[in-house]
Amino acid sequence: MAFFGGVGVPIAAVLLLSLAAAASAQLSATFYDTSCPSALATIKSAVTAAVNNEPRMGASLLRLHFHDCFVQGCDASVLLNDTATFTGEQTAFPNRGSIRGFGVIDTAKAQVEAVCPQTVSCADILAVAARDSVVALGGPSYTVPLGRRDSTTASLSEANSDLPPPTSDLADLVGNFSRKGLSVTDMVALSGAHTIGQAECGNFKSRIYGESNIDAAFAAARQANCPQSGADDNLAPLDESTPDAFDNAYYGNLVSQQGLLHSDQQLFNGGSTDALVSTYASNAAQFSADFAAAVVNMGNIGVLTGAQGEIRLICSQVNCAKHQEARDLQAKVQLQSWAGNFTGTE
C-alpha cells in the first residue's frame, strides 16, 4: 500500500481526489443543480422585479458584473463595503458615485440564503444577475458557468488602474482588455452593453464641447443638459434611440458619430475596429452571439473555485471566523463521507 504526504490514503484515491479537485476548479452550468436547484429561478425573480421597476437597473447590474471581473477577477470584491480597517473598491475613481444595484444583489442573496443556506456565492449571483438583466431588457440569453467563490479581499488600487476610463483611446481599450485575456472582438462586443444605461455629464463633457468626430446635432442636444461649467451629475442615455432596450442600436450610433463617450466613438474612428462595428450595426444576430460569448469569457477572469475564497453570508462583508469555521467543517465532513464511500482499485 503506497502512501502520500504521510497520510494513509491509497494512490488511486489520491489520484481520484486530485481529479475531483481539478474538476471542482472548473466552472459548470450545472454546479447548483443538486445543492440548490432553485438558485437561478430565485435570482431571476429578484432581478426581473427590480428591472421592471426601474429599467436602468438592468444596465447597472450588468456594469456591476463588469466592474467586479476587471478587478481581481469575478470574485464579488466590488461588493465589499469599507470598514474601519478595510478600504474596498467602491470609492475608486471609476466606481465613486456611479456603480449601483447593491440592494438588488443583497435582496437576491437573502432570498437564495432562505432556500439554500451557505451555498451560492455572491460572485455567481452577480454573474447570473447580469445575464437576467440583459434578458429582461430584450437581449440574448446565454448559459452562465457557475461555481465561483467570493474573495476575502478587494483592491482599491487595482480598481483605479484596471477599469478603463471613458477617456480611453482605442489602443488603451485593446490593451486593457487584452491584459484580462479578452480579444478585440470581446472588447467591441462587450462595449455594446452601452446600448443601455446612462452616463454622467462629467464623463462626456469634453467630447460634446471639444471633439470634432461628433455629429453636430447630437452634440447640441447633449449640451442642453450638460453645460460647460457644472452639472457634472446630470445624466444622458448612452443610446438615445432605444435607451431601455438591449439591441444593436449602439453601433449604429457610432457609425453616425453619435457615441456619447470618447471611448465609445474610438471604436469607429478610422481604426482597426471599424469593420466589426459596421457588422454589428447591420447584423443584430451576430452582435447578440458575440456579446453572449464575450460576457461568458469575461465571467471566467480570475475566478476563485474549490477551496479558494469563501461563500459570503452577506455580500457586503467577509464572513466572521465562526462562519468560516462552520464552512470548513462542512467541507471536511463532505470529503470524509465521499472518501468513506470510495470503492475504486489501484
Side-chain angles (χ1 to χ4, degrees):
M1 182 74 70
F3 294 89
F4 178 79
V7 180
V9 181
I11 285 292
V14 170
L15 292 175
L16 195 54
L17 282 168
S18 298
L19 290 172
S24 71
Q26 303 301 314
L27 302 183
S28 167
T30 60
F31 189 82
Y32 297 113
D33 281 8
T34 300
S35 62
C36 190
S38 61
L40 299 188
T42 302
I43 298 168
K44 182 177 181 179
S45 177
V47 170
T48 301
V51 175
N52 287 343
N53 182 60
E54 182 196 1
R56 183 190 173 200
M57 186 55 68
S60 297
L61 293 172
L62 178 56
R63 185 165 181 251
L64 201 56
H65 180 43
F66 172 85
H67 279 230
D68 179 42
C69 290
F70 262 58
V71 182
Q72 292 192 170
C74 308
D75 60 0
S77 60
V78 73
L79 301 180
L80 289 173
N81 289 340
D82 294 350
T83 68
T85 58
F86 176 86
T87 301
E89 299 164 14
Q90 295 173 21
T91 56
F93 180 76
N95 290 333
R96 190 183 309 136
S98 64
I99 53 172
R100 56 198 297 272
F102 299 101
V104 178
I105 299 300
D106 288 343
T107 296
K109 174 62 171 175
Q111 292 176 354
V112 170
E113 282 293 313
V115 294
C116 306
Q118 299 182 327
T119 303
V120 182
S121 69
C122 300
D124 275 347
I125 291 175
L126 269 180
V128 174
R131 189 272 310 277
D132 292 342
S133 294
V134 169
V135 172
L137 293 175
S141 184
Y142 52 90
T143 299
V144 180
L146 301 166
R148 300 167 189 81
R149 287 171 64 87
D150 301 323
S151 70
T152 56
T153 63
S155 177
L156 178 67
S157 61
E158 192 173 324
N160 277 319
S161 64
D162 286 18
L163 290 167
T167 54
S168 299
D169 291 333
L170 181 59
D172 299 324
L173 292 169
V174 171
N176 190 288
F177 280 70
S178 176
R179 286 189 291 275
K180 300 300 179 182
L182 299 174
S183 69
V184 172
T185 298
D186 289 331
M187 184 269 288
V188 177
L190 287 169
S191 297
H194 283 182
T195 190
I196 53 176
Q198 301 184 52
E200 294 181 337
C201 165
N203 287 325
F204 59 83
K205 183 178 295 185
S206 61
R207 170 159 166 74
I208 63 175
Y209 285 102
E211 297 187 6
S212 59
N213 60 342
I214 188 169
D215 177 79
F218 174 75
R222 294 283 68 81
Q223 290 169 6
N225 193 45
C226 184
Q228 283 187 289
S229 178
D232 283 359
D233 293 339
N234 286 0
L235 297 172
L238 288 158
D239 168 22
E240 186 179 23
S241 58
T242 55
D244 295 328
F246 195 96
D247 54 26
N248 65 329
Y250 165 82
Y251 298 101
N253 296 340
L254 300 186
V255 172
S256 301
Q257 293 193 317
Q258 294 180 10
L260 184 62
L261 304 177
H262 174 83
S263 56
D264 288 329
Q265 197 59 55
Q266 284 291 295
L267 302 182
F268 191 86
N269 194 42
S272 60
T273 55
D274 283 16
L276 189 54
V277 168
S278 295
T279 295
Y280 290 159
S282 61
N283 190 332
Q286 186 65 57
F287 163 58
S288 292
D290 286 359
F291 175 83
V295 76
V296 170
N297 289 341
M298 183 184 75
N300 289 330
I301 297 174
V303 295
L304 303 175
T305 58
Q308 299 171 316
E310 64 182 17
I311 305 296
R312 285 187 219 140
L313 301 182
I314 299 173
C315 289
S316 60
Q317 63 188 54
V318 298
N319 294 341
C320 65
K322 67 178 182 179
H323 288 145
Q324 189 56 49
E325 288 171 4
R327 288 291 300 166
D328 291 344
L329 178 60
Q330 181 184 38
K332 182 178 179 180
V333 170
Q334 289 174 338
L335 179 59
Q336 289 175 337
S337 174
W338 180 87
N341 291 328
F342 175 71
T343 57
T345 58
E346 294 185 23

